[in-house]
Every structure is written in C-alpha cells, then in structure tokens.
Amino acid sequence: MSLKLKSLCSDISPAILEALSNIAVKTAHGLLITHTALEIYQALPSDLGLSLEDIEDLRADVGLKLSSSGSSGAQLPTRNSLSELTVGVDALDELLRGLRAGDILEVAGQQGCGKTTLAMTIVARELVTSPTTCALWLDPNLSFLAKSFKRLLATQTDDITPLSRLHLADCSSISVAHDILDLIDSSSIPNIQLLVIDSFSDLYQSAINGRHSEGAAPVIELVKRIAELARLKEFRVILINGSTVPREPGNRGTHSAFQGTKSYPGLRSVLSHYTTATVWLNSVSEAFGAAPARVESEDLLVVELLRSNVSLAGRWCFLKLDSKSCFRSVSAEELAPDKGFGGVVAASDRSHLADEVNVDGYDG
C-alpha cells in the first residue's frame, strides 16, 4: 500500500496533499496504517478547516479505492453461458479451456519466444471465424509487423477483408491508454471482442521511468479499469508481458514445473490479481535442459500454464512454429517416433515424462 495519495485521490486539493506531506503522510500506508485518524487530525494545521470526520471520510475513500469491487455470485454469468474463443491449436486450447468474455490472458516469456506470434494467431482466427468481430491492438513501441500478420492471416483464409476489422493504435503512455478505453466505453469503436496490449511491460516501463513518475499506482489503476471494462463490454484481453524475474537457485516455488527454467514472469504484483490465466513460453532446451530425443528443438516451444482461475494450472504442451510462422501442435511421431510418445496435450502427470521423451536432467 505504498501508493501515493496524489495518484489515488485526484479530487483532493493540493493544499491538503501538501499539509499531509508535511506531516509525513504521503502514501496510503501512512494514511491508513501508520497513523490513526485522530493523530492526523491533531497534527494538521487548524486553519486547514478539516474536521476529524473529514479525515475519517478520506481514509474510507482511500480504502475503497484500494479494494477490489465485489460481486454477488448471482450477478455473475456462468462460463458455460458465455461464447468461447479458441486459439485453433488443439494442444493450447486444451490447456486454456477457451477464452471467454471478460477473461484476461497474460502471455509471458523471454524476448523472441513467440509471444506476439501467439497473440496474432488468436486474433487472426477470431477475425476469420467471426465476421462481426473487431480487434484492437495497442502498440506502445510501434513494433506491430503488418506483413507478419497478413502472412499469418493468409494461412487461414484467402479473404483479406478481416484486416479491416483490426484496429491498430499507438499507445505510448498510460493517459493515451485511458483515452482509448474511453472510446471503447462509449462504443466509439464498435464490436470489440479482443483487446491486445503488446507489450504491457513496455507500457509499464514508460510509466515508472517517466519524468513525473508516480510509481506503479497508475498502472494498477489501468489494469483494474481494463478488467472492469472487459467484464462490462464482454470482450477478451491479451496482455503480452516481456518482463521477467530471475529464478532463485533451488526455489521451484509455484512458478514453473521445469527445473531448467531460469526465470518467470515479472509484474506479478500488478497483473496477478486481475488476469484470468498466465501462460509461459519457454524453449525446450531451457525447460528440459536438453531437447527430447530425435526432436529438432529449433522453433519448438514448451507452453506452460503457470496459473489459471478456470483451468488446472501446472500443465503444459509442446507447440511448434512452422515455415509460415504459424503455431501448431506437435504430433507424437515428431517427438519420439520410436517410443510413440503421446503426451503432447496438457499432460498434468509429469512423473513419467523423463523416461518417455528420453530427457537428461529433467526433474519430473
């Protein structure tokens, strides 16, 4: 709760914020935890015109803004009642169990592992299979490659009209992101079924490294608003997260099931409360420590479901990028033709895996 008060309560007058700062109350923690309402009231100048009740109201307002909005179970739609979006890659669809309206999928991994390609795959399939759907791609670094998307789209259809329903927006700051969300909220951009931010970690870095940075508070507020708007307007969100944190030696924790994984997604304090699921894209050599027998490991990925609110986490699958930069499932014959390995889809029982794929150094 080290969020700055000026970022949480824009309606507080600068004079009150300055007076609170002068008595070392600059953050939500200072207002709610370190000091009581009476202590703050007694320390503030009397000519400020604030009563003890005003201080208590301010504490209540800040506490409300920090808390998550509650919902009754009777108010929430069941997942079976919502239309399901599939990736079109059987193994990955088995992992995720579909993306439904209001879901936020975090796609994480090291640079160059295929996060953007995976997001493009999901968007292209949705545009092709749903003629009324529009997708919005927020691009903080202007890195979207239109040629790559056209090539991927061409693998699914000869029709180029779905391109007209893909909106691309420069999103260089948090304030611009809020402006774009305003357009979605007002239905100025109609039929949005998919929102992609590539990458969210770039947007985060631009916010905290800015000249007038207020820390992570504005970013958390943005994610919270995205989650609320996704539920209200019933669209899905894909957040690309290129931020990674080194894995501590010997600590397997709850991050990855693979001993060889050297890192895991960053920004957990910002994203984990609002995202529905997190998938981690990893190379075979890093996950296993070696490629499975008779498998060309180039362009072969391990996609692991690190966490999920709607499916069983800890499962994983192999995916491969083909010559057309399309993801596809990997057949048993490709993995180990002499052993007939069949664990290509979301295997939750990992204990037998090392023997079946003949991998040295895998911890099971």
Side-chain angles (χ1 to χ4, degrees), residues 223-237:
V223 179
K224 181 179 179 180
R225 188 183 179 196
I226 290 173
E228 292 173 346
L229 194 58
R231 290 193 295 267
L232 177 65
K233 294 293 184 176
E234 296 188 342
F235 60 84
R236 305 145 178 98
V237 182

Side-chain angles (χ1 to χ4, degrees), residues 14 24 40 42 56 68 85 92 155 174 199 220 273 294:
I40 295 172
Q42 292 174 339
E56 291 174 340
S68 301
L85 180 152
L92 192 53
T155 65
I174 296 292
S199 73
I220 295 174
H273 183 69
R294 300 191 184 183

Side-chain angles (χ1 to χ4, degrees), residues 198-214:
D198 184 15
S199 73
F200 183 82
S201 47
D202 291 333
L203 194 60
Y204 175 84
Q205 289 297 330
S206 69
I208 64 173
N209 293 334
R211 185 174 182 181
H212 303 290
S213 174
E214 297 181 2

Side-chain angles (χ1 to χ4, degrees), residues 164-185:
S164 64
R165 291 181 278 112
L166 173 61
H167 303 280
L168 186 63
D170 175 11
C171 182
S172 56
S173 67
I174 296 292
S175 61
V176 172
H178 278 292
D179 291 340
I180 294 172
L181 294 179
D182 288 340
L183 293 175
I184 298 176
D185 196 11

Side-chain angles (χ1 to χ4, degrees), residues 10 119 151 164 195 200 227 252 260 281:
S10 57
R151 183 169 61 248
S164 64
L195 173 67
F200 183 82
R252 298 192 54 178
L281 277 60

Side-chain angles (χ1 to χ4, degrees), residues 59-88:
R59 285 161 55 91
D61 181 54
V62 170
L64 184 62
K65 289 181 177 180
L66 286 172
S67 63
S68 301
S69 56
S71 300
S72 164
Q75 296 173 322
L76 297 177
T78 62
R79 292 186 63 83
N80 291 333
S81 70
L82 300 174
S83 59
E84 179 180 302
L85 180 152
T86 57
V87 179

Side-chain angles (χ1 to χ4, degrees), residues 166-324:
L166 173 61
H167 303 280
L168 186 63
D170 175 11
C171 182
S172 56
S173 67
I174 296 292
S175 61
V176 172
H178 278 292
D179 291 340
I180 294 172
L181 294 179
D182 288 340
L183 293 175
I184 298 176
D185 196 11
S186 64
S187 300
S188 298
I189 307 177
N191 299 323
I192 292 295
Q193 293 296 310
L194 261 176
L195 173 67
V196 181
I197 302 181
D198 184 15
S199 73
F200 183 82
S201 47
D202 291 333
L203 194 60
Y204 175 84
Q205 289 297 330
S206 69
I208 64 173
N209 293 334
R211 185 174 182 181
H212 303 290
S213 174
E214 297 181 2
V219 186
I220 295 174
E221 284 298 310
L222 176 64
V223 179
K224 181 179 179 180
R225 188 183 179 196
I226 290 173
E228 292 173 346
L229 194 58
R231 290 193 295 267
L232 177 65
K233 294 293 184 176
E234 296 188 342
F235 60 84
R236 305 145 178 98
V237 182
I238 300 174
L239 297 181
I240 307 296
N241 181 10
S243 174
T244 60
V245 178
R247 186 176 183 176
E248 296 179 7
N251 178 21
R252 298 192 54 178
T254 58
H255 307 309
S256 176
F258 296 94
Q259 186 179 22
T261 301
K262 298 180 177 64
S263 55
Y264 58 91
L267 308 182
R268 294 182 67 201
S269 61
V270 176
L271 295 177
S272 59
H273 183 69
Y274 298 101
T275 51
T276 308
T278 298
V279 292
W280 176 252
L281 277 60
N282 206 356
S283 67
V284 171
S285 58
E286 180 169 314
F288 287 94
R294 300 191 184 183
V295 175
E296 295 292 335
S297 61
E298 185 177 359
D299 296 327
L300 185 66
L301 297 174
V302 175
V303 182
E304 184 179 4
L305 187 63
L306 291 185
R307 53 167 298 275
S308 175
N309 296 342
V310 296
S311 184
L312 182 63
R315 301 177 303 149
W316 57 275
C317 66
F318 288 112
L319 291 185
K320 189 169 186 177
L321 275 172
D322 63 19
S323 59
K324 297 180 180 179

